Amino acid sequence: MDGNITMLSENAVSAKMAQCFITINGRRYNFMNMISFTAEVEKKKSSVPILGRPMEGNKTVGLKGTFSGKAHYNQSVMRKAVTDYKDTGQDIYFNVMIRNYDRSSGVGAQTVNIIGCNTDKITLAKFDAEGEWLDETMEGTFEDWNMPEMFNQLKGL
């Protein structure tokens, strides 16, 4: 053996072992109908010209948060939120909590709260005469996040 430490396969986190909660106007919903969800942070950078070298530098000057997901088309919570915006002019911001926890993995759990979410578009109505079930996509932006719970560090990392 050359001393190369590798991850144990049991420490891969199952993609299905997660929870998703959405909080809108103080009401918390168990969004168990979600199929997938991704929140990403993009670093916004500016080019920095530097005298004496041909390669320019890059300076991070901010962050932009975006999310996307797919859900079973079986709830009206988000359609109600966008309808309320249409009727009142008051836009709806909400929070999403994602908790990944696979009991069979030694890494434990991770919880990420996505704060200040705002959708870009919402599916109002749909059908599919050839389909087996209906799903819908959801995407938008967010303004903050925190991580009250983090995975355990793997041995050898």
Side-chain angles (χ1 to χ4, degrees):
M1 184 96 167
D2 63 4
N4 184 24
I5 298 172
T6 61
M7 184 184 90
L8 299 173
S9 58
E10 67 193 41
N11 286 328
V13 178
S14 173
K16 295 180 179 187
M17 301 310 295
Q19 296 175 296
C20 177
F21 294 91
I22 294 180
T23 303
I24 301 175
N25 291 329
R27 179 158 180 212
R28 188 174 193 219
Y29 299 90
N30 182 355
F31 254 49
M32 60 192 163
N33 59 312
M34 292 298 292
I35 298 168
S36 64
F37 183 86
T38 302
E40 298 179 322
V41 175
E42 179 182 349
K43 292 171 72 174
K44 299 182 114 195
K45 296 184 178 183
S46 289
S47 298
V48 179
I50 300 174
L51 185 64
R53 71 179 208 201
M55 193 79 163
E56 66 182 24
N58 296 284
K59 172 89 174 162
T60 301
V61 296
L63 300 170
K64 179 176 182 174
T66 59
F67 69 87
S68 62
K70 183 163 59 168
H72 291 285
Y73 181 82
N74 62 3
Q75 56 77 30
S76 297
V77 172
M78 301 311 289
R79 278 174 281 290
K80 169 90 169 87
V82 77
T83 300
D84 289 348
Y85 172 63
K86 174 189 70 82
D87 293 344
T88 68
Q90 183 175 351
D91 205 357
I92 303 295
Y93 288 80
F94 56 95
N95 298 335
V96 177
M97 185 203 90
I98 303 294
R99 185 171 193 255
N100 300 98
Y101 181 44
D102 177 355
R103 293 180 195 277
S104 67
S105 173
V107 299
Q110 175 177 275
T111 300
V112 179
N113 295 307
I114 312 299
I115 301 165
C117 298
N118 188 268
T119 56
D120 291 339
K121 63 181 178 180
I122 295 291
T123 301
L124 287 179
K126 72 183 299 183
F127 69 85
D128 182 352
E130 295 179 330
E132 294 182 31
W133 62 78
L134 293 176
D135 61 28
E136 61 184 311
T137 59
M138 188 168 59
E139 54 190 48
T141 56
F142 65 90
E143 298 183 5
D144 200 0
W145 78 93
N146 61 46
M147 294 176 53
E149 184 177 32
M150 292 186 254
F151 290 130
N152 301 325
Q153 186 169 317
L154 293 173
K155 185 174 183 176
L157 187 63

